Structures are given as C-alpha cells and as structure tokens.
Amino acid sequence: MNCLQVEKHFSAYFEDTLDYQTLQTFEGHFAECETCQAEYTRFQESVKAVQQLPQIEPSPYFIPALQQRLTTEERETRSIKDVLTTQWQQLLDVFRRPKWAFSGVFALILAAAGTYFYQDLRPGPVATTPLTKQVATSPEVFPVQQSRRVAADRNQLLRGSVISTPTQPMQQRYMLKQVSYTTTSTSGGL
Amino acid sequence: MPDLDDELMERYQKGDENAFTLLVRRHQQPLVNFIARFINDRDSAEDLAQETFIRIFKAAHRYKSEGAHFKTWMYHIASNLCKNELRNRGRRDRYRVDNVVNSGNDSDGDAEQIDLIGNAPANPAYQPEVALERKELQNAIQKAISELPEQYRLPLVLRDLQGLSYDEISEVLELRDGTTKSRINRARLMLKEKLKPFI
Ligand SMILES: [Zn+2]
C-alpha cells in the first residue's frame, strides 16, 4: 500500500470498518510513514470539527406557516376539481336531454360534411409552391430568420417584455449573448 | 418491524390529521439543518423544508412502508428540491453575469448566507475570545462545505451533519454503496485541504 491507497481508506479507518486484511496493510504503511500519520491527524480533526457544527433550528413560525401553505394548496386543488366536475357535469346534462342530443349529433354531421366539401374545393399543391420556392432559392435566409425569432422569443421570456423585431446592430449582439447564455445553462451544474 | 414514522404515515393515510403534524414536528429541525447546511442559506431553508413537507403531504396516499423508509424518502425529496434551487440560482447568476456590465463580485444579490457569529446563542459561561475563535472556525467550515462540488457535498452533509448511515445515504441519492463511501471519503479529504489554515 502506498500513501495514495492509504488515503482512500481514511474514512473506513476513522469509522473502524476496515476488514482484517486491509487493516494489517494499512497499519503496516502507517507505522512507517510520517506524512500519512500527519495527514490522518488533520483528517480526523477536520471530520470531528464538521460533525460538531451547531444544529440550525427552524423558526417558531415554521409549523403555522406550513399549515397556512397546506390550507391554501388544498383550497386551490379543491376549487380546480370543483370547476372541472361542474363543467363536465354541465356538458353531460346537455346530452342527457333528447332534443339537445339530437341537435348535437346533427351539428357534428353538418361540420363533417362541410369540411369534406371544403377540402374538395381547395386548390391542391399550388398553394404551397410560393413558400417552397422562396426557401429553395435562398436556403440560408430561412434558418437565420428562424433563429433570430427564437432568440427574440427567448428574450421576451427571460425579460418578460416585448422586444421589437427589427434588429439593430447592438440588439443583435445582445441576442447573440442570450443564445450563448441559454446554451451554457443546459450544460452546466454547479 | 415498522418504525414510528411508518406508523404515523399509516395513521395519516387512514385520516388521522394529527399524525402528519407529529411527523412534521419530528423532522422539521433536522430537515431545516440539512437544507441550510447544504445550500448555505438559512432563509431559503425554511421555505424549501416546507415545500418538502407539502410534497410529502400530496404524495402520502402513495407511500408504502415496506418499499421505503420515511426518513430517506424525505431527504430524497429535499435533495432534489435543493438541487433545483441551486440550478436555478446558477442560471440566474449566469444571466446576471451576461447582462450586467462591470458587475464585479456582486455580493448584494446573493442569498443570505449562514452567519454563525450573528446567530450565536447566549451562553452563561461566555468567553468572548474563545467563542469568537470557535465561531470563526464554524464559519470557515460552512464556507468550505459550500465550496465542495454538489456530488460530494450532498453525501458529506448527510453523513457528517445529519448522521445518516451509508446505506441510508445510498438510498437517498440512489447510488451504489461503494460510490457513496468513496464520495464521502473524497469530500472529507477535500475539506481537510480547505481547512488547512484553521486545523
Ligand atoms: Zn504514506
């Protein structure tokens, strides 16, 4: 066992959980090595100092404040549930009356028929051609505009305010910064 | 053998409201201590501890005493809330650094950190110099803990400040036993180095 290996067993030695074999080799090195002895003494002292840190107490308002929050949460959940049940109930009630049920079904048939005929009348692939043409002729324009719009959306989200779309040079720099910010935030921990 | 926490949870599931209050009373102090030490912020600790209890309250009907232990479940929820809080702070800080010109080391916006000197209790056998020295050491230790990387700080706080067993910590953090042990040893070694000027 060398110094580095001995160091890996400091906690187990401190907590007296080393098995017989490891303890023998650990103590074999330890008896000979003054560096390890000194390091272990400091290790032991710092662990003890950490363990002796005073306990932090909650304030006397902890439980009343928690009760308050729980009551609010419960009330909110209940009111959402109530709203959902009443709306659902109202919808069901409508269809329980035979006259309304018949009109409902009739309206659905009308809507379906309307959609069917509308699709038949619509010009087919012609309507999409201008857009595809535009993208095809200037391939690099679309992604740039898109990314600017995404950046502006992010900006809006982050700052909670509306930003005008025309990009002045300064604003453009600001937006680039925002993009780099969002990319770093996904990769980082603490 | 079911412990008292499990029994209280069972009682609460059957409609005994007092059982939940009792659970909160039993665990509020260790929970606040854990969060405050881990995120180094006493004020947010109360808020996050309350949030932990709210989550427990909401998920209480799903709790099964055979599958988990209340204590490890509670610390698991609290740890995740703390990690989210720290991540959000990191994002807010990065946003500030990106957008504030000449910000330097802006300390005014930072969360209130644990000031043990300010929170010192009144002691009848009060020796100012000794007390100050001890408080300085305590502040240095708290600072050193807060500088540890999260993956080492979390098991260290659970072990050396909350007194959880290695098995319990592995359960809380969903780690293998060997990983928990080596991370705690590593964290202690890092602290030893950070505390060199004091110990
Ligand atoms: Zn050595």
Side-chain angles (χ1 to χ4, degrees), chain B residues 55 79-89 91:
Chain B
R55 299 266 170 118
S79 304
N80 286 340
L81 284 171
C82 288
K83 284 190 224 169
N84 283 342
E85 169 70 16
L86 293 173
R87 219 157 284 147
N88 289 338
R89 280 184 192 181
R91 262 184 219 136

Side-chain angles (χ1 to χ4, degrees), chain A residues 2 4 8-9 14 27 31 35 56 62 78 91 95-96 99 116 120 134 137 169 180 190:
Chain A
N2 59 30
L4 220 66
K8 279 183 184 162
H9 294 295
F14 177 73
E27 285 187 331
T35 317
I56 292 165
F62 186 86
R78 205 172 293 159
L91 198 73
F95 281 95
R96 258 183 213 134
K99 200 165 54 176
Y116 178 76
D120 261 11
Q134 191 194 343
T137 46
S180 74
L190 261 192

